[in-house]
């Protein structure tokens, strides 16, 4: 069974840093793409940063120059380095991955474009 587990959230003062991790367990063959989202105030999650299938990166304007997304496919792990944190960064952060894996029951090669982590709380306050 493929599972995404997030960690690294917590409480920091403004200007502090955190690094979020998203580790994939199971019979994963590759991480094809990854995105980090935060809950926001609307009805849908907001894209914070992503690595596309061709290896390019995109960032929300609000985090450019402060956040860095990275991926280590050999370790089946994605990261979000967050520096110069602001109170408005406070939110629940989710990782989403495009994965290629083999099923535990049939052993078939599969691809899922939308595997989600459980979310991790980031709080920035004085």
């Amino acid at each position: 069974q493929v599972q995404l587990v997030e960690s690294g959230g917590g409480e920091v003062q403004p200007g502090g840093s955190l690094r979020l991790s998203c580790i994939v367990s199971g019979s994963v063959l590759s991480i094809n793409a990854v995105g980090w989202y935060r809950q926001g105030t609307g009805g849908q999650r907001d894209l914070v940063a992503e690595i596309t299938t061709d290896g390019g990166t995109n960032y929300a304007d609000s985090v450019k120059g402060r956040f860095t997304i990275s991926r280590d496919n050999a370790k089946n792990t994605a990261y979000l380095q967050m520096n110069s944190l602001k109170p408005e960064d406070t939110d629940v952060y989710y990782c989403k991955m495009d994965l290629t894996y083999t099923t535990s029951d049939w052993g078939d090669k599969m691809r899922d474009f939308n595997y989600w982590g459980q979310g991790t709380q980031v709080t920035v306050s004085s």
Side-chain angles (χ1 to χ4, degrees), residues 50-88:
E50 65 177 356
I51 301 175
T52 60
T53 54
D54 64 356
T57 59
N58 296 300
Y59 295 90
D61 289 340
S62 59
V63 306
K64 286 181 179 178
R66 300 188 297 119
F67 291 8
T68 303
I69 187 172
S70 61
R71 173 184 63 194
D72 188 337
N73 194 61
K75 297 181 179 179
N76 292 335
T77 304
Y79 305 95
L80 183 67
Q81 179 67 46
M82 303 184 294
N83 299 325
S84 302
L85 283 163
K86 304 175 181 179
E88 51 263 43

Side-chain angles (χ1 to χ4, degrees), residues 65-126:
R66 300 188 297 119
F67 291 8
T68 303
I69 187 172
S70 61
R71 173 184 63 194
D72 188 337
N73 194 61
K75 297 181 179 179
N76 292 335
T77 304
Y79 305 95
L80 183 67
Q81 179 67 46
M82 303 184 294
N83 299 325
S84 302
L85 283 163
K86 304 175 181 179
E88 51 263 43
D89 295 319
T90 297
D91 215 326
V92 179
Y93 286 71
Y94 300 86
C95 65
K96 180 178 74 70
M97 291 189 180
D98 170 3
L99 299 172
T100 302
Y101 62 96
T102 55
T103 61
S104 59
D105 50 354
W106 301 106
D108 297 324
K109 184 178 180 180
M110 302 289 290
R111 184 174 181 179
D112 193 317
F113 295 91
N114 296 286
Y115 254 90
W116 287 92
Q118 83 281 6
T120 185
Q121 177 70 48
V122 172
T123 301
V124 185
S125 66
S126 301

Side-chain angles (χ1 to χ4, degrees), residues 16-77:
S17 298
L18 288 171
R19 188 177 75 163
L20 306 183
S21 298
C22 185
I23 303 174
V24 183
S25 62
S27 300
V28 177
L29 299 178
S30 65
I31 301 173
N32 307 305
V34 59
W36 285 95
Y37 296 75
R38 56 192 180 192
Q39 189 65 50
T41 58
Q44 62 182 17
R45 296 170 181 174
D46 300 323
L47 178 67
V48 176
E50 65 177 356
I51 301 175
T52 60
T53 54
D54 64 356
T57 59
N58 296 300
Y59 295 90
D61 289 340
S62 59
V63 306
K64 286 181 179 178
R66 300 188 297 119
F67 291 8
T68 303
I69 187 172
S70 61
R71 173 184 63 194
D72 188 337
N73 194 61
K75 297 181 179 179
N76 292 335
T77 304

